[in-house]
Amino acid sequence: MEETNVTMTTEKTQGETAAKENETKAEKFIRIGEYRMNKAVDAIGRLENLANRSFYEYTQEQVDAMFQALEGRVVEVKVRFMPKKAAESKTFSFGITE
C-alpha cells in the first residue's frame, strides 16, 4: 500500500477530509488546522453544560482542577509552535574582550 493511501485512510478515520493532490504543506496546515480547531472549540464549549447546577453538583476545587488541566495542556501545545532557539555556542570563554 502506498504511503499516500495510508495517510488518507488515517485522516478519514479521524474524520478529516482526505488530502488533496498537489496540496502544499501550508494548505494542508490550514485545512487540518481549521478542522481540528473547530472540533477543539466545540469540545471546550460543551464543558459549559457542566456549569448547570440543576443537573450537576461540583466544588470550586473541581472546577479549578479542570481548568488548570485544560490551560496547562494549551500551554504545552503552544510551546511546540514557538521557534526553537539557535543552539548556543559550546565554546568556553572567560568573557574577556580586548
Side-chain angles (χ1 to χ4, degrees):
M1 184 180 275
E2 283 183 50
E3 186 176 331
T4 305
N5 291 340
V6 172
T7 303
M8 289 173 62
T9 303
T10 302
E11 289 182 26
K12 284 181 182 177
T13 303
Q14 294 174 353
E16 298 170 357
T17 2
K20 304 211 178 353
E21 255 184 71
N22 302 322
E23 180 177 50
T24 67
K25 289 181 179 182
E27 292 167 337
K28 184 176 181 180
F29 176 84
I30 291 169
R31 177 177 54 83
I32 293 174
E34 286 176 348
Y35 176 81
R36 292 181 183 176
M37 279 300 300
N38 286 326
K39 284 189 64 121
V41 168
D42 288 345
I44 291 169
R46 285 192 303 274
L47 291 174
E48 185 177 5
N49 296 337
L50 294 172
N52 188 338
R53 289 202 179 261
S54 297
F55 296 105
Y56 304 104
E57 183 177 305
Y58 52 87
T59 66
Q60 187 59 47
E61 289 79 21
Q62 290 170 319
V63 172
D64 292 343
M66 187 171 69
F67 284 99
Q68 184 178 4
L70 186 59
E71 291 165 356
R73 186 65 178 121
V74 168
V75 168
E76 290 172 5
V77 173
K78 189 174 182 178
V79 166
R80 297 292 301 248
F81 282 91
M82 291 182 182
K84 300 202 183 333
K85 292 183 181 178
E88 294 182 18
S89 174
K90 297 194 188 291
T91 308
F92 175 81
S93 171
F94 283 111
I96 300 172
T97 58
E98 294 186 37

